[in-house]
Amino acid sequence: MESTTAVTADPTYYCHTRPEMLPFVPATAQSVLEIGCAQGAFGAAVKRRTGAEVWGIEFNPDAAKRASTVLDLVLVGDADAQIAQLPDGYFEVVICNDVLEHLVDPVYTLKQLRRKMKPHGVVVASIPNIRFLPALSAIVVHKDFPREDFGIFDRTHLRFFTRKSMVRLFEEAGFSMRRIKGINAYRSRLAILLTVLTFGYFADSFYLQYACVASPAGARS
C-alpha cells in the first residue's frame, strides 16, 4: 500500500507554522510523531511548548533535510512504508496537519498508526473542508472544480472531506472522535445570512478546515 504527500516546487509550501493547531496538542505529550512534517516548523513549536521528543515523516527530501535540523528524528519517503519501521506503542500524539487528504488510503494509514500509539494516545489532525463556502461557490455557482497550488483545490489532494465524512474516516480506522472544531473561518454577511435562512444547514461551511482530535476506540480519556 503506497501513499503520498504534497510534492511542489513552491518552497513556501513547506514552511507553514500552523499556530492555530498548537492548542489541540496535549501539553503533557512527551512522544510525538508528525506525518508530513515538511520543514519541521510545527514540530519544532510543539517541542518548544511541551519539551516532547518529536519525530517526523516527510516525502520531500529537501524539506526533510531541513526538518532534521530541528526535530529529533526524520524519516524520508512514503508515509506507509516509513510508519511500518516505527516502534509499536511508542507515541502519545500523532499529528497529521493537512496530510490525510494527500494519501491514497487514509483509513489504512490511520490503522497503521494505531499500532504505533500508546493506548491513551491521540491523533491531532487538520483536514480541509470541501463544504467551505468559497469552495462551494466555485463548484455550484461557477460550475468549476479548479486545480490550484494550495488550499481546498490543491492539485496534490487525492481525497476530499466534509465534517461528516471526517468523523466517518476516523471511525472506519478504529478511532473515536473526541473533539472536532472548525478553524480558519470565513466571515461575510452573505455567509451569516445563508446560515440563518437555512436554519444552520450551512454552518459547517464557514470553515476552511476542521481540527480533529481522535483516540483509539475504547481508550479511556
Side-chain angles (χ1 to χ4, degrees):
M1 177 68 64
E2 292 185 355
S3 62
T4 183
T5 50
V7 178
T8 175
D10 183 359
T12 64
Y13 195 96
Y14 300 98
C15 300
H16 299 297
T17 57
R18 302 302 307 273
E20 74 278 16
M21 289 300 297
L22 270 177
F24 296 94
V25 178
T28 57
Q30 291 302 298
S31 52
V32 176
L33 171 66
E34 183 175 9
I35 308 298
C37 65
Q39 294 184 3
F42 186 78
V46 171
K47 283 180 66 66
R48 289 192 297 270
R49 180 172 179 260
T50 68
E53 176 187 27
V54 179
W55 296 16
I57 295 176
E58 174 53 47
F59 190 83
N60 182 284
D62 293 330
K65 184 176 180 180
R66 290 178 178 267
S68 67
T69 66
V70 294
L71 303 184
D72 295 286
L73 178 67
V74 178
L75 303 179
V76 186
D78 171 78
D80 289 329
Q82 300 307 315
I83 290 168
Q85 308 303 315
L86 298 173
D88 290 344
Y90 190 79
F91 299 100
E92 293 177 85
V93 179
V94 174
I95 296 166
C96 301
N97 283 339
D98 288 16
V99 164
L100 297 172
E101 65 276 9
H102 294 279
L103 302 179
V104 172
D105 189 347
V107 170
Y108 174 84
T109 301
L110 286 169
K111 286 180 177 179
Q112 297 299 99
L113 287 169
R114 281 185 62 198
R115 291 199 285 267
K116 309 303 176 180
M117 295 169 58
K118 293 182 182 295
H120 63 278
V122 295
V123 173
V124 175
S126 167
I127 305 177
N129 173 29
I130 192 64
R131 270 176 61 85
F132 185 49
L133 196 59
L136 282 181
S137 176
I139 296 168
V140 177
V141 178
H142 299 287
K143 305 178 182 179
D144 194 13
F145 200 97
R147 301 298 280 166
E148 300 172 347
D149 292 333
F150 56 86
I152 295 291
F153 298 109
D154 187 318
R155 66 184 74 256
T156 64
H157 287 181
L158 301 180
R159 305 282 180 166
F160 297 89
F161 295 96
T162 64
R163 185 188 187 281
K164 183 177 181 178
S165 65
M166 292 173 201
V167 174
R168 184 170 63 247
L169 166 69
F170 281 97
E171 289 178 346
E172 289 179 352
F175 288 84
S176 296
M177 189 70 76
R178 291 174 50 180
R179 185 181 183 191
I180 183 166
K181 179 179 174 62
I183 56 174
N184 295 319
Y186 176 74
R187 304 295 185 190
S188 75
R189 292 180 180 178
L190 175 60
I192 295 172
L193 179 62
L194 183 63
T195 301
V196 171
L197 292 177
T198 60
F199 300 98
Y201 183 77
F202 285 99
D204 61 322
S205 301
F206 279 12
Y207 302 105
L208 175 63
Q209 296 132 315
Y210 275 87
C212 305
V213 180
S215 59
R220 295 180 179 180
S221 302

